[in-house]
């Protein structure tokens, strides 16, 4: 694989089913009610339960390391959340290399759902 | 003390006492995490692959850094935890909802099973109140450092929006219901059938319906005709105030001259106030409220 500035990552699509939202919240030890209790989420002004930020960090890591290979080293994951990702939505990740110095690569990542950009960020990764 | 003053005081204390992870880094939690997230990297789960890899053994996903020291279901935050203190302050001020907005994690090295992590948190800034799409709220930024013994292994800037959810909209008030009588019953019955019925005394049409013909005769009996529903705006008002139960303001009430020659008043449903004018062609419409009541209305003939 030739990796240079501008190299696009293969997109990743995630179906954010209620099971996905709840199981990732629990696997990240995040018991905030808005991630598993629809009534509570609605009462707090949301449309439905929604993904938690620890899951977004995890998904961004999965997206980049699936491309960079199992022995790439993730150095940092910086994300900014936009619109929520509610249960039953679909999240599509795209990314591209924004810089490369030696084996150190910076990748920009964007995850978009039906409401708009859910997560935007950058990942620093050292390729093997 | 204002929220800003309280925040400054908490920030000045620096890192709080460490929160120790409930469990050491362990395979069970890693397995749950990679399964839920769908991360198939074998360095987290396949001992043979991991032993041959750059890591020389199993490691935990770096994105799990924060997971190890999450509070969990029942354990309270430390009494000096700055994020917990700010959440309490903002809860009391009515900003009861929270969403995370930014997470910037830096991993100094990967963690290995058996390592015991602790987190130390400091308050970096509290900014607000800001108007956001979710409601008015405050951005609370903390910095967390994770240590194994005294070695810093990862750190994170974490920002949440603590906001006041907008009040839910009140349910729409029920509409005003007309009084019906023996003389007007046919009119309201007609609306339920989708007919605009006009009272007829012999050759004379009369609306609104009444107990007597226009000539005052005591001998004639009324019946009715079904109007075509076509007419033109004879006069109208735009109602801005006061509020009317069941109506969104402003709305237009039009007196329409039907082609049968009588005038009937009802709401004009689908025209903006500025596009209504005398002579505007309209057709009758029927607004079903419930089994008992259908109201007359107009729509622009398009």
């Amino acid at each position: 694989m030739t990796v240079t500035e501008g190299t696009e990552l293969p997109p990743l699509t995630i179906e954010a089913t209620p099971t996905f939202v709840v199981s990732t919240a629990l696997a990240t030890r995040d018991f905030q009610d808005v991630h598993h209790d629809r009534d509570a989420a609605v009462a707090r002004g949301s449309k439905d339960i929604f993904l938690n930020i620890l899951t977004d960090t995890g998904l961004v890591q999965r997206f980049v390391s699936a491309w960079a290979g199992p022995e790439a080293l993730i150095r940092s994951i910086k994300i900014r959340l936009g619109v929520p990702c509610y249960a039953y939505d679909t999240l599509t990740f795209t990314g591209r290399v924004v810089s490369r110095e030696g084996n150190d690569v910076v990748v920009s990542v964007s995850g978009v759902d039906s409401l708009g950009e859910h997560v935007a960020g950058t990942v620093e990764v050292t390729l093997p | 003390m204002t929220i800003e003053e309280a925040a400054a005081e908490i920030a000045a204390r620096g890192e709080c006492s460490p929160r120790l992870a409930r469990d050491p880094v362990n395979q069970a939690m890693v397995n749950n995490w990679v399964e839920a997230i769908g991360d198939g990297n074998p360095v987290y789960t396949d001992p043979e692959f991991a032993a041959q890899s750059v890591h020389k053994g199993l490691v935990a996903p770096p994105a799990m850094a924060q997971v190890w020291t999450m509070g969990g279901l029942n354990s309270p935050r430390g009494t000096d935890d700055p994020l917990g203190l700010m959440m309490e302050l903002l809860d009391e001020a009515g900003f009861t909802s929270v969403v995370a907005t930014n997470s910037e994690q830096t991993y100094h090295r990967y963690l290995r099973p058996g390592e015991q992590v602790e987190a130390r948190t400091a308050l970096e800034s509290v900014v607000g109140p800001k108007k956001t799409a979710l409601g008015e709220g405050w951005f609370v930024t903390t910095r967390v450092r994770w240590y194994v013994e005294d070695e810093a292994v990862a750190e994170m800037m974490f920002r949440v929006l603590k906001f006041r959810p907008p009040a839910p909209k009140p349910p729409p008030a029920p509409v005003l219901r007309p009084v019906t009588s023996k003389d007007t019953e046919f009119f309201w019955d007609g609306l339920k059938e989708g007919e605009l019925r006009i009272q007829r005394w012999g050759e004379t049409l009369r609306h609104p319906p009444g107990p007597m013909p226009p000539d005052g005769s005591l001998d004639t009996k009324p019946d009715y005709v079904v109007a075509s529903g076509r007419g033109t705006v004879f006069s109208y008002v735009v109602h801005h105030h006061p509020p009317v139960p069941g109506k969104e303001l402003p709305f237009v009430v039009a007196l329409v001259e039907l082609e049968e020659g009588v005038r009937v008043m009802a709401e004009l449903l689908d025209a903006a106030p500025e596009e209504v004018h005398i002579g505007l062609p309209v057709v009758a419409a029927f607004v079903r409220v419930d089994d008992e009541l259908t109201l007359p209305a107009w729509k622009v003939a398009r």
Side-chain angles (χ1 to χ4, degrees):
Chain A
M1 173 172 67
T2 317
V3 175
T4 54
E5 194 181 315
T7 299
E8 303 267 345
L9 279 63
L12 169 68
T13 299
I14 301 283
E15 295 301 334
T17 62
T19 301
F20 183 78
V21 174
V22 173
S23 60
T24 52
L26 298 189
T28 54
R29 295 196 76 221
D30 184 345
F31 294 87
Q32 293 272 352
D33 53 20
V34 290
H35 305 307
H36 63 260
D37 182 337
R38 184 181 187 153
D39 291 343
V42 169
R44 290 174 185 279
S46 295
K47 191 179 85 175
D48 205 325
I49 56 171
F50 53 90
L51 280 185
N52 74 336
I53 193 167
L54 284 79
T55 295
D56 289 309
T57 302
L59 289 174
V60 169
Q61 176 190 276
R62 167 187 165 180
F63 173 60
V64 172
S65 58
W67 163 79
E71 295 201 70
L73 298 177
I74 304 288
R75 303 294 188 181
S76 72
I77 300 175
K78 296 174 181 169
I79 59 170
R80 186 184 73 245
L81 292 194
V83 297
C85 180
Y86 290 120
Y88 301 104
D89 211 336
T90 300
L91 197 51
T92 302
F93 284 94
T94 54
R96 55 184 283 277
V97 174
V98 291
S99 71
R100 173 168 192 164
E101 274 183 43
N103 282 345
D104 292 331
V105 170
V106 178
V107 179
S108 73
V109 175
S110 172
V112 170
D113 64 26
S114 68
L115 301 176
E117 188 166 62
H118 165 62
V119 55
T122 56
V123 178
E124 294 176 312
V125 56
T126 303
L127 301 177
Chain B
M1 193 173 359
T2 65
I3 286 166
E4 285 96 336
E5 285 163 352
E9 201 170 273
I10 294 167
R13 292 181 210 159
E15 283 190 346
C16 66
S17 51
R19 172 197 280 282
L20 196 62
R22 182 189 66 179
D23 304 296
V25 174
N26 67 86
Q27 198 61 47
M29 280 173 64
V30 170
N31 289 343
N32 280 340
W33 189 93
V34 298
E35 195 171 74
I37 297 286
D39 192 326
N41 191 335
V43 298
Y44 310 138
T45 54
D46 181 338
E48 284 173 28
F49 183 95
Q52 301 298 317
S53 77
V54 62
H55 298 291
K56 311 273 186 264
L58 286 167
V59 287
M64 279 187 80
Q66 191 181 0
V67 175
W68 305 111
T69 51
M70 286 292 280
L73 181 55
N74 292 317
S75 75
R77 290 175 186 274
T79 51
D80 66 343
D81 176 82
L83 189 54
L85 292 172
M86 277 316 303
M87 295 297 101
E88 272 174 33
L89 274 169
L90 291 167
D91 274 332
E92 282 166 20
F95 301 92
T96 51
S97 292
V98 64
V99 286
T101 65
N102 295 72
S103 160
E104 299 191 359
Q105 301 188 345
T106 302
Y107 315 111
H108 303 310
R109 67 169 176 83
Y110 282 42
L111 291 166
R112 294 178 181 278
E115 290 189 307
Q116 186 79 40
V117 182
E118 64 178 41
R120 298 176 205 167
T121 306
L123 182 64
E124 222 160 63
S125 70
V126 176
V127 178
K130 298 264 189 194
K131 285 201 163 43
T132 76
L134 292 170
E136 190 182 50
W138 296 73
F139 289 96
V140 179
T141 305
T142 52
R143 182 161 296 278
V144 186
R145 286 194 173 79
W146 287 283
Y147 296 85
V148 172
E149 292 173 349
D150 279 329
E151 179 193 3
V153 290
E155 61 188 270
M156 168 175 72
M157 183 278 277
F158 194 65
R159 184 171 297 142
V160 300
L161 170 65
K162 188 83 172 131
F163 65 99
R164 190 199 306 273
K169 279 191 183 167
V175 299
L176 293 172
R177 302 186 80 90
V179 175
T180 63
S181 68
K182 274 197 159 58
D183 297 317
T184 62
E185 208 170 19
F186 77 96
F187 177 78
W188 299 106
D189 286 346
L191 294 174
K192 279 190 267 185
E193 305 288 323
E195 291 180 358
L196 183 58
R197 296 175 179 172
I198 305 298
Q199 193 179 45
R200 177 169 62 185
W201 300 85
E203 293 304 305
T204 308
L205 297 180
R206 175 179 175 165
H207 188 88
M212 299 278 286
D215 65 6
S217 159
L218 296 177
D219 300 327
T220 34
K221 295 273 180 223
D223 61 356
Y224 64 81
V225 294
V226 176
S228 70
R230 288 187 295 273
T232 55
V233 172
F234 182 80
S235 175
Y236 68 98
V237 293
V238 180
H239 184 98
H240 293 274
H241 191 77
V244 177
K247 297 285 177 202
E248 274 190 38
L249 303 180
F251 61 90
V252 178
V253 178
L255 180 64
V256 167
E257 183 154 294
L258 292 174
E259 58 187 13
E260 289 82 3
V262 291
R263 294 172 194 156
V264 178
M265 188 148 66
E267 183 180 356
L268 177 53
L269 295 175
D270 60 346
E274 58 274 15
E275 75 177 282
V276 183
H277 57 88
I278 288 164
L280 179 69
V282 298
V283 292
F286 303 90
V287 178
R288 187 183 178 280
V289 176
D290 53 35
D291 285 347
E292 298 303 312
L293 178 63
T294 296
L295 294 173
W298 309 113
K299 286 188 171 177
V300 178
R302 294 184 198 270

